Amino acid sequence: MIEVRGLRMRYGSVDVLKGVDFEARRGEVLALLGPNGAGKTTTIEILEGFRMRSAGEVRVLGVDPAQGDERWRARLGVVLQSWRDHGKWKVRELLDNLGRYYAPYSTPDRKRPWAVDDLIETVGLGGQAGKKISSLSGGQRRRMDVAIGIVGRPELLFLDEPTAGFDPQARREFHDLVHRLSDLEDTTILLTTHDLDEAEKLADRILILAGGAIIADGSADALSYRMSTNSEVKWRRDGQRFVHSAPEATRFVRELFEQYGEGVSDLEVRRASLEDAYMALVQQFESGQGGTAAREFKEVKR
Amino acid sequence: MNPTMTAVEAGLRRGGVELRGTFTNVQDLWNYVFMPAVILVVMVFVGGDPLPGTELSLGDVTIPGVLGMQVAVVGLVNLTTMRIIEREDGTLLRAKATPNGMLGYFVGKVVTVSGMALISLAIILVPSAFLFDGLQLTKPGAWLTLAWVLLLGLAATMPIGAILGSLFSEARAIGFIVPPMLGLIAASGIFYPITSAPVWLQWIAQAFPIYWLGLGMRSALLPDSMAVVEIGDSWRYLETVGVLGVWAVAGLILAPIVLRRMARRESGSTVDARREKAMQRGTW
């Protein structure tokens, strides 16, 4: 669905992307993580065909986004970071109008557009269908953006920080929606987020973008495992709490039991979370060879 | 149905929704009513008596010109401001993200602006029909003339509005566009006969569509005897069609070029804006 090889992007004298490589397969949910300014939005906008790249090979649904035609456009869904448009329109009105453009691109296995009332229910705006968009709350507005993004029943959906400003319940509902899109609609999804917990819950695969390149690519489990950062072991002995950070938790626990046997109780072992792995990766990267890139950025900034 | 026709149809609906929307908020209603109300009140109080040598009041001879001016204001100012605002708030990008969305967007804009022009004319014309009995609403061909002047006027002004709206990217720029436009209106013989203005000013006014819109509307609604006040003692239909036609053709050729360049550049400038913001936040 997406193939990116050697993608570079240069603004003036600053290289924001310096060789990004990754792929997305059909039906996959990919989360693109990275520090602010790492080029997540730039990457996603190049894939959406809104921005010309400086160099590299990019294929989205088999087409170079720079040459994507309207037929190609109809197979994509786009949710950008901030929309403030169409404030005077009513929710139902706008979805109905935008959906019409997709009707000629309907196929037997993908009926386009999504039936408006069903779509409104799906994103949880049932009570707001007749309301003006300008009167929606922040979370409702964001759900409206998602609804517009999927009104054409896209095969590939781009979500740029979709849950920024959501309360926990709205976030949970949104996660359900993403799962439904991926499971029932067979939609491939590429999302950017700052929320590691969200990435862990939603994504089949996580990409970490830092210093202009993908520095890690794998499932949340694989990433935590690869980093093999220390696990935290907690236990109680003689009425006292102990906490130990061990690189090899299994062996540590075995030794613990060999030494104290029945004396050990309330054992708790916590593997490094994705967040730990992410922090470790980015830190390692910034202090290592990647640090040069980060320093270059700062110099240009001055 | 093929994608192009679908987009045109969706665009027509879009125009309909937008036009309906202008009746549902105070700001738009105020814009419709404010200027016409001021002009009508002034004309009623100032222009009751017949002008010397005629049977027409000041209101009679001014209102047709005001109609012409309204067409120009809607075509130029409204379209310019709408384009700037909608580019800033993401409406245009939304159109870009939709298959054939740009086509639908522009069809919609033509419908909205034409509709707004019609409504603006009606808001002045209907009360005027009762207030100013010198208007020749039953003159043979009056409505036909009014119709073609309106159509040609919209065709001449809308592309300019679209181009101006593309050249300026910030809402603040509206402040720089409106004053020169008001100056041009003042110079275009809407509120007094242009023949009383200095000749150099007459030439400037005649280079732009506003004067010709006013002249065309006067020719539609005033008795032919009033042509003596105009340049060349004539309604100059040929010249009206000529000048408005040249503006329309030039605009329709230029507008797509400018709009396409704008659409391409837009992504670049949004990049800059974002990068600048990002740098200010010190997140690099």
Side-chain angles (χ1 to χ4, degrees), chain A residues 11-12 14 16 36-37 41 45 50-51 70 73-74 78 80 83-86 88-89 93-94 97-98 100-105 132 141 145 148 297-298 300-301, chain B residues 1-3 6-7 9-11 13-14 17-18 20 24-25 28 88-91 93-94 96-101 104-105 267 270-271 274-275 279 282-284:
Chain A
Y11 298 130
V14 185
V16 172
N36 278 336
T41 297
E45 289 195 356
F50 287 157
R51 200 169 289 186
E70 303 299 323
R73 170 82 43 219
V78 169
L80 297 185
W83 294 107
R84 290 174 291 132
D85 60 316
H86 290 98
K88 289 177 187 171
W89 289 57
E93 242 169 24
L94 184 58
N97 191 266
L98 290 174
R100 287 171 185 278
Y101 292 90
Y102 293 90
Y105 303 102
K132 273 194 188 178
R141 164 86 234 202
D145 292 334
I148 296 173
F297 273 152
K298 280 184 189 127
V300 169
K301 186 184 142 193
Chain B
M1 219 169 17
N2 76 55
T6 307
E9 201 218 313
R13 285 173 190 273
R14 154 176 286 274
V17 172
E18 279 185 353
R20 191 150 33 85
T24 59
N25 72 88
D28 283 327
E88 226 181 32
D89 73 10
T91 306
L93 200 55
R94 185 80 82 192
K96 246 175 112 176
T98 312
N100 306 295
Y105 174 81
S267 44
T270 43
V271 173
R274 281 220 192 87
R275 189 172 51 143
M279 282 179 161
T283 47
W284 283 59

Side-chain angles (χ1 to χ4, degrees), chain A residues 47-168:
Chain A
L47 298 181
E48 287 162 348
F50 287 157
R51 200 169 289 186
M52 294 299 147
R53 61 185 183 271
S54 305
E57 184 88 9
V58 179
R59 285 273 176 284
V60 173
L61 298 173
V63 175
D64 180 347
Q67 258 108 52
D69 60 0
E70 303 299 323
R71 176 171 297 278
W72 172 77
R73 170 82 43 219
R75 298 165 64 198
L76 296 182
V78 169
V79 179
L80 297 185
Q81 264 183 37
S82 69
W83 294 107
R84 290 174 291 132
D85 60 316
H86 290 98
K88 289 177 187 171
W89 289 57
K90 289 174 184 152
V91 168
R92 198 181 186 294
E93 242 169 24
L94 184 58
L95 289 175
D96 174 74
N97 191 266
L98 290 174
R100 287 171 185 278
Y101 292 90
Y102 293 90
Y105 303 102
S106 188
T107 60
D109 55 326
R110 242 174 220 279
K111 289 257 174 295
R112 296 183 164 112
W114 200 312
V116 176
D117 292 309
D118 185 35
L119 175 60
I120 290 173
E121 284 304 325
T122 302
V123 298
L125 285 175
Q128 283 77 39
K131 281 205 179 146
K132 273 194 188 178
I133 292 171
S134 56
S135 72
L136 299 181
S137 71
Q140 289 169 344
R141 164 86 234 202
R142 209 69 193 114
R143 273 184 260 176
M144 179 66 189
D145 292 334
V146 173
I148 296 173
I150 61 177
V151 69
R153 302 210 26 211
E155 288 154 58
L156 174 60
L157 177 63
F158 295 103
L159 297 165
D160 202 355
E161 291 188 21
T163 55
F166 274 28
D167 61 35

Side-chain angles (χ1 to χ4, degrees), chain B residues 28-245:
Chain B
D28 283 327
L29 286 173
W30 177 254
N31 287 347
Y32 275 136
V33 174
F34 176 69
M35 270 276 278
V38 169
I39 290 168
L40 286 173
V41 167
V42 169
M43 288 303 149
V44 166
F45 279 99
V46 176
D49 297 327
L51 296 171
T54 72
E55 298 191 341
L56 300 172
S57 68
L58 183 63
D60 292 330
V61 300
T62 308
I63 290 300
V66 170
L67 294 178
M69 177 190 78
Q70 280 295 92
V71 176
V73 166
V74 173
L76 285 171
V77 181
N78 284 16
L79 193 56
T80 306
T81 51
M82 272 196 281
R83 291 270 295 112
I84 292 176
I85 290 168
E86 294 186 346
R87 204 170 141 200
E88 226 181 32
D89 73 10
T91 306
L92 220 67
L93 200 55
R94 185 80 82 192
K96 246 175 112 176
T98 312
N100 306 295
M102 278 298 196
L103 175 63
Y105 174 81
F106 281 108
V107 170
K109 272 287 151 291
V110 169
V111 172
T112 310
V113 172
S114 306
M116 288 174 83
L118 263 180
I119 292 161
S120 303
L121 289 196
I123 286 173
I124 302 175
L125 201 51
V126 171
S128 297
F130 298 98
L131 295 169
F132 309 107
D133 45 16
L135 294 179
Q136 310 281 296
L137 294 171
T138 53
K139 186 171 88 168
W143 292 97
L144 186 68
T145 310
L146 195 132
W148 70 253
V149 171
L150 171 64
L151 282 179
L152 203 52
L154 286 174
T157 52
M158 279 200 288
I160 310 173
I163 291 170
L164 287 176
S166 307
L167 294 181
F168 299 94
S169 57
E170 282 177 75
R172 272 185 307 156
I174 296 166
F176 296 103
I177 299 167
V178 173
M181 214 116 72
L182 294 179
L184 199 59
I185 289 170
S188 292
I190 300 293
F191 294 101
Y192 55 90
I194 194 167
T195 40
S196 62
V199 175
W200 62 268
L201 197 59
Q202 290 184 22
W203 280 107
I204 292 177
Q206 288 181 74
F208 292 96
I210 300 175
Y211 164 75
W212 299 99
L213 271 162
L215 178 67
M217 290 296 180
R218 284 195 293 277
S219 81
L221 299 173
L222 293 179
D224 290 336
S225 57
M226 284 305 292
V228 293
V229 190
E230 307 290 345
I231 297 171
D233 299 345
S234 148
W235 294 129
R236 297 198 290 170
Y237 286 118
L238 229 60
E239 288 90 332
T240 306
V241 174
V243 176
L244 291 180

Side-chain angles (χ1 to χ4, degrees), chain A residues 26 236 283:
Chain A
R26 191 185 172 90
R236 190 186 290 277
Q283 259 166 30

